[in-house]
């Protein structure tokens, strides 16, 4: 486990919740990272949204936000041992909850719900996320049986949240209305399975109708043997005219000529120069393609070898003179892809007139993450070929036609006439609206891959959708996928992924999802858990217009208020965008004032019995080279504190399967941090810098020891330490610096980090003499060689001897040279019970070796043998100290070794308990038959 701030009942009389004391952080992080590889049935497949929080983390945070820590129930759990045992039981529930494999375990969720209801005196509060985004927090609140509410200023996330928590529960248990569909299965239609079946059936109807109308735009590929095959993708390259007057040829702008990189199936494009043009042929599997013709600084004309600057390419694009040329056709084959050279028919068929009623609206100017306009792609329609616009317009219009069919079929099925979905109706119209929402989301998903900024990924032999990151970048060679296919980019493929997610959504009562600015809504009676905007991160309103313009085409009559504007609201979006607010300083002021206004409003309606939780997504680029915290991170903490909040815990949530390690002083994390906070009492006093330091010195050691003993990874210790440190700093109205000015968050973070370093160093007093010598030697020399004289001097100061340390097996002293033995240099066999000069250092080194070489079980067996000889809690402290030393010295490989040991300690302890009573090979009894 990971223990956080001090335990017990808070100073304001509230019961401290689990999230303010302890979390099984390693398992939460493990399952959050694992979740990224889960696709089938995962709610993220419903529709793309950027920076979704992991469902596992949201589920765990909500549970721990509501459930009491055992220390706040002293009558039930009077001793620390009782509390630890109960905390372990609650951790077990969380560890099972975060595992995706248990997502349909109704008994588990009933158990979790019972714990929540018990801690909330039978009346848990409604949960609200006012920055709902992708909907992870409201969805997981609903999954836990809670009353979930969501709001957002942006219509796209509002629609996504409606599709997650508002619409499906409305039709729970309803059989499908598509003719004959209800008879396709025996028994009931639980949850949203009936709705999902209708979305699937009417989606297929749309696809089949689309083929009748636009199928001629997507010809089959002709193979060498005269047969035909379905096209998976057309690979195009953009072109401009060479600026060399002696050439004037048509230049292909290809980033790469690779088509397929799978072993034995390698294929690539070979450009063949013919006069002032280039044609393309297919080569492979032998050989390699030439380098691409365009990069970050410019391009190269294949015809005359003239380097061409990007300025010329931008000018050609803005003048409307950038073209496209077909490089290859990818077709479906048995267990492989066919890569074919361009064919005239396929180049001519795309020359279609663009529809008149497509969203011909300007893309905002924001070169930080919208770079396509730099090349003349100024309007949203410019991101699509003419053929793609015809297809998307046809699919969008068919959604409206399908809605009419659903309405007719619903009336036949016995639905009443009444209010539509926008007015919370349960009529035939409301059901038809609901199906249309999901059908329209399917078109929106197709747009993400059916555009002219979609890349072809040779290593996967498939097209990759536009939004692989939070940007709309320029792409030189792009893949055009047919929306009628069964592959990526096909409408039925998008609908299929969506319906699997829809069927897996939790059952619950339909709750409110509204469009509203977070600074102006009411928070009365609501408990907030949210993932707010992060300072100067990407403005999602700009990016989401890409989807909005197509969703609006199908849904503006279903949700006239939600889709009443041409584009998403921009001016009130809470983000520090210098391009939108007239410069960096103005943008910062806009964000900071808006952030404080939102959290002041949340505080006004806060429920004092529970902590509010806030996610902060940390960008690795935010920290500076001097180890200072990021501006965004500081702004979040500063804004919370100035809005009257007290930070009670900070928990690093890692969603990346990565071994990257950052410095302790940077407070960096792999992905995000969760803050628990409560309203600061209005009568909070003032303290000076010296008083704060004294308070930190008094409270941090116990809190950090709890963190270490809990099971938090050493790499996360600095971030988690901010929780108890900030709890001290933020409990005061303000902290006075020596000159009387208020202390800022950055200065407080520096103090907390200093205290952390001091506490870790002071723990050396808990160690035996041999271990203290090894620590001091390690700090200076690591596992490198050094002179005997230095070792002899240090050994006398530490009341030990070099010869004794040599005999004990922790170092070697030969010919005037002394060297600590690294874990990998230790002997493979070690018996702590037979060691006549055992030390904490020696056991920790052997544990690190055993874990790295043989895993948890083997390390557990060693720990079981050592536990009667040394204090294991002290040994664990050493693993954290060694990690911090390695970080300071940038010994990354060794740091990873000790981080793994510290973060696996709980699992090793479990394995040690399973190993039974401690025994040694020498101590085992040889039982005779009479004794047996």
């Amino acid at each position: 486990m990971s223990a956080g701030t001090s335990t017990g009942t808070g100073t304001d009389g509230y019961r401290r919740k689990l999230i303010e004391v302890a979390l099984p952080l390693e398992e939460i992080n493990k399952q959050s990272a694992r979740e990224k590889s889960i696709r089938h049935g995962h709610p993220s497949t419903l529709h793309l949204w950027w920076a979704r929080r992991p469902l596992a983390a949201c589920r765990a945070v909500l549970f721990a936000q509501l459930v009491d820590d055992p220390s706040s129930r002293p009558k039930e759990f009077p001793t620390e041992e009782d509390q630890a045992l109960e905390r372990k039981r609650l951790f077990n529930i969380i560890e099972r909850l975060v595992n995706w494999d248990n997502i349909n375990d109704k008994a588990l969720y009933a158990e979790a719900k019972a714990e929540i209801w018990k801690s909330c005196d039978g009346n848990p509060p409604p949960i609200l996320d006012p920055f709902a985004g992708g909907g992870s927090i409201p969805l997981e609140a609903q999954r836990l049986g809670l009353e979930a509410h969501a709001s957002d200023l942006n219509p796209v996330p509002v629609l996504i949240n409606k599709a997650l928590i508002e619409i499906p529960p409305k039709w729970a248990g309803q059989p499908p209305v598509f003719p004959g569909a209800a008879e396709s299965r025996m028994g009931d239609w639980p949850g949203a399975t009936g709705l999902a079946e209708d979305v699937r059936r009417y989606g297929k109807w749309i696809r089949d109708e689309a083929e009748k109308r636009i199928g001629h735009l997507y010809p089959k590929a002709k193979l060498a043997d005269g047969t035909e095959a379905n096209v998976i993708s057309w690979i195009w390259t953009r072109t401009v005219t060479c600026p060399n007057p002696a050439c004037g040829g048509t230049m292909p702008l290809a980033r790469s000529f690779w088509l397929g990189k799978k072993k034995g199936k390698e294929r690539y494009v070979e450009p063949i120069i013919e006069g002032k043009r280039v044609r393309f042929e297919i080569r492979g599997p032998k050989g390699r393609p030439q380098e691409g013709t365009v990069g970050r600084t410019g391009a190269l004309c294949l015809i005359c070898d003239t380097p061409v600057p990007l300025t010329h390419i931008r000018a050609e694009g803005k003048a409307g003179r950038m073209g496209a040329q077909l490089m290859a056709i990818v077709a479906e084959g048995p267990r492989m892809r066919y890569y074919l050279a361009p064919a005239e028919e396929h180049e001519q068929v795309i020359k279609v007139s663009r529809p008149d009623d497509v969203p011909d609206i300007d893309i905002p100017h924001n070169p930080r993450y919208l770079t396509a306009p730099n090349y003349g792609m100024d309007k949203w329609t410019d991101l699509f070929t003419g053929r793609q616009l015809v297809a998307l317009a046809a699919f969008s219009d068919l959604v409206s036609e399908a809605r009419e069919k659903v309405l007719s079929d619903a009336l036949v099925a016995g639905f009443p006439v009444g209010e539509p979905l926008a007015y919370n109706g349960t009529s035939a119209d409301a059901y038809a609206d609901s199906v249309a929402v999901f059908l329209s989301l399917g078109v929106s998903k197709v747009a993400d891959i059916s555009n002219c900024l979609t890349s072809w990924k040779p290593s996967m032999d498939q097209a990759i959708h536009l939004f692989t990151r939070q940007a709309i970048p320029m792409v030189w060679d792009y893949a055009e996928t047919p929306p009628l296919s069964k592959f990526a980019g096909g409408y039925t493929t998008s609908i299929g992924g969506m319906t699997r997610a829809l069927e897996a959504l939790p059952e619950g009562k339909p709750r409110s999802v509204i469009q509203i600015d977070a600074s102006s809504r009411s928070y009365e009676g609501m408990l907030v858990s949210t993932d707010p905007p992060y300072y100067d991160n990407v403005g999602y309103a700009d990016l989401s217009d890409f989807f909005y313009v197509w969703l609006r085409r199908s849904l503006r009559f279903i949700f006239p208020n939600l889709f009443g504007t041409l584009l998403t609201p921009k001016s009130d979006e809470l983000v520090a965008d210098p391009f939108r607010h007239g410069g960096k300083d103005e943008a910062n002021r806009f964000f900071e004032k808006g952030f404080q206004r939102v959290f002041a409003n949340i505080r006004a309606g806060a429920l004092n019995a529970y902590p509010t939780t806030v996610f902060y997504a940390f960008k690795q680029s935010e920290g500076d080279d001097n180890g200072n915290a990021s501006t965004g991170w500081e702004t979040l903490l500063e804004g919370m504190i100035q809005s009257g909040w007290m930070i009670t815990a900070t928990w690093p949530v890692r969603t990346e399967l990565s071994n990257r390690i950052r410095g302790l002083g940077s407070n960096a994390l792999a992905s995000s941090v969760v803050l628990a906070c409560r309203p600061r009492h209005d009568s909070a006093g003032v303290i000076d810098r010296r008083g704060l330091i004294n308070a930190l010195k008094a409270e941090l050691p116990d809190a950090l020891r709890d963190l270490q003993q809990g099971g938090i990874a050493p790499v996360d210790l600095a971030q988690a330490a901010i929780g108890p440190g900030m709890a001290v700093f933020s409990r005061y109205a303000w902290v006075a610096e020596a000159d009387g000015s208020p202390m800022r968050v950055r200065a407080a973070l520096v103090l907390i980090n200093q205290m952390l370093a001091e506490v870790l160093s002071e723990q050396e007093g808990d160690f035996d003499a041999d271990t203290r010598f090894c620590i001091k030697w390690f700090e200076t020399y690591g596992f490198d060689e050094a002179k005997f004289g230095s070792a002899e001097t240090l050994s006398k100061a530490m009341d030990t001897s070099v010869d004794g340390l040599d005999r004990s097996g922790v170092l070697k002293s030969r010919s005037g040279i002394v060297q600590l033995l690294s874990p990998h240099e230790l002997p493979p066999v070690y018996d702590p019970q037979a060691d006549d000069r055992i030390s904490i250092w020696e056991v920790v080194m052997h544990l690190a070796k055993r874990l790295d070489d043989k895993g948890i079980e083997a390390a557990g067996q060693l720990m079981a043998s050592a536990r009667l000889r040394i204090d294991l809690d002290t040994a664990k402290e050493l693993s954290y100290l060694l990690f911090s030393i390695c970080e300071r010295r940038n010994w990354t490989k060794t740091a990873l070794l000790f981080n793994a040991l510290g973060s696996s300690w709980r699992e090793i302890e479990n394995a040690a308990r399973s190993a039974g009573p401690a025994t040694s090979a020498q101590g085992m009894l040889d039982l005779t038959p009479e004794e047996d």
Side-chain angles (χ1 to χ4, degrees), residues 41-43 45-47 163 196 199-200 435 437-445 491-505:
H42 195 280
T45 59
L46 195 70
H47 192 276
V199 172
R200 188 180 295 113
V435 174
V437 165
F438 291 98
L439 296 175
S440 184
L441 287 169
V443 177
S444 185
K445 289 180 65 177
Y491 183 68
T492 52
T493 303
S494 296
I495 290 292
M498 179 187 300
T499 52
R500 284 192 291 272
L502 185 54
E503 289 171 333
L505 291 178

Side-chain angles (χ1 to χ4, degrees), residues 175-184 189 197-198 201-202 205 402 404-413 431:
V177 303
F178 190 93
E183 293 76 38
S184 65
W189 292 83
E197 184 64 19
D198 271 336
R201 299 274 185 137
Y202 289 103
W205 177 85
E404 296 306 310
K405 288 183 66 65
V406 180
L407 174 59
S408 176
D409 294 336
L411 289 169
V412 171
Y431 188 73

Side-chain angles (χ1 to χ4, degrees), residues 885-901:
I885 293 171
C886 292
E887 276 221 311
R888 291 198 301 270
R889 299 298 303 274
N890 292 319
W891 297 334
T892 303
K893 188 175 180 180
T894 309
L896 289 170
L897 190 69
F898 294 124
N899 182 61
L901 179 60

Side-chain angles (χ1 to χ4, degrees), residues 49-51 53 129-134 137 151-154 157 368 470 516-519 523 528-541 570 572-577 580-581 587 590-592 594-596 598-599 602 613-619 622 631-637 639-640 673 675:
W49 187 255
W50 304 272
R53 292 303 107 219
D129 183 356
F131 298 101
I137 293 171
S151 63
D152 205 292
L153 179 63
N154 191 322
R368 291 195 305 158
Q470 301 165 4
I516 192 169
D517 182 356
S519 65
Y523 295 92
V528 170
S529 180
T530 190
D531 179 19
Y534 312 123
Y535 205 62
D536 61 346
N537 281 20
V538 172
Y540 295 130
K570 305 289 192 306
D572 293 329
E573 184 185 24
L574 191 56
V575 62
D577 190 334
R580 191 180 296 167
H581 296 288
F590 171 83
F591 176 84
E592 291 166 12
F595 187 92
Q596 291 177 23
V598 169
F599 279 90
I602 295 174
T613 54
V614 180
F615 286 76
Y616 175 79
F618 188 93
K619 295 188 299 182
E622 289 183 13
T631 303
W633 175 226
E634 288 177 4
T635 302
L636 176 75
L637 294 173
M640 296 292 296
V673 62
L675 289 83

Side-chain angles (χ1 to χ4, degrees), residues 286-469:
K286 295 182 179 180
R288 294 180 61 84
Q290 66 182 69
E291 294 294 321
T293 62
V294 66
R296 291 183 177 275
T297 57
L300 180 71
C301 177
L302 287 176
I303 300 168
C304 67
D305 289 335
T306 297
V308 178
L310 284 181
T311 52
H312 171 75
I313 298 171
R314 292 192 188 105
E316 290 291 282
K318 290 179 178 179
R321 293 191 293 267
M322 184 178 289
Q325 183 179 349
L326 187 61
M327 284 202 303
I329 301 170
V330 187
E332 179 184 5
R335 299 184 302 278
M336 66 177 295
R337 302 282 190 258
Y338 290 123
Y339 292 99
L340 309 172
E344 179 69 17
E345 176 193 5
H346 291 262
E347 292 202 74
Q348 294 300 320
V349 75
I350 68 161
K351 296 179 180 179
V352 295
S353 298
R354 199 170 75 169
D356 294 330
D357 57 346
V358 291
D360 203 21
I361 306 170
D362 289 343
I363 298 174
H365 173 69
N366 201 321
R368 291 195 305 158
Y369 46 85
L370 298 169
T371 56
N374 295 338
Y375 300 89
M377 303 170 79
D378 298 319
K379 299 182 182 297
W380 291 111
T381 48
D382 294 335
L383 306 185
F384 305 89
T385 67
R387 174 164 60 177
Q388 288 170 335
L389 288 173
V390 169
L392 288 170
F395 275 98
S396 296
D397 294 344
L398 279 165
V399 169
S400 298
E401 294 181 34
R403 184 205 171 274
E404 296 306 310
K405 288 183 66 65
V406 180
L407 174 59
S408 176
D409 294 336
L411 289 169
V412 171
F415 276 76
V417 175
E419 295 287 355
L421 182 63
Y423 293 94
N424 200 30
T426 56
S427 64
D429 270 289
Y431 188 73
D433 292 343
S434 298
V435 174
V437 165
F438 291 98
L439 296 175
S440 184
L441 287 169
V443 177
S444 185
K445 289 180 65 177
V446 168
D448 187 22
I449 199 166
S450 287
N451 60 77
C452 64
L453 294 174
T454 296
S455 301
W456 181 259
K457 192 165 186 177
S459 61
M460 298 176 65
D461 282 342
Q462 71 177 48
I464 302 298
H465 65 108
L466 166 59
F467 289 109
T468 56
R469 58 191 178 94

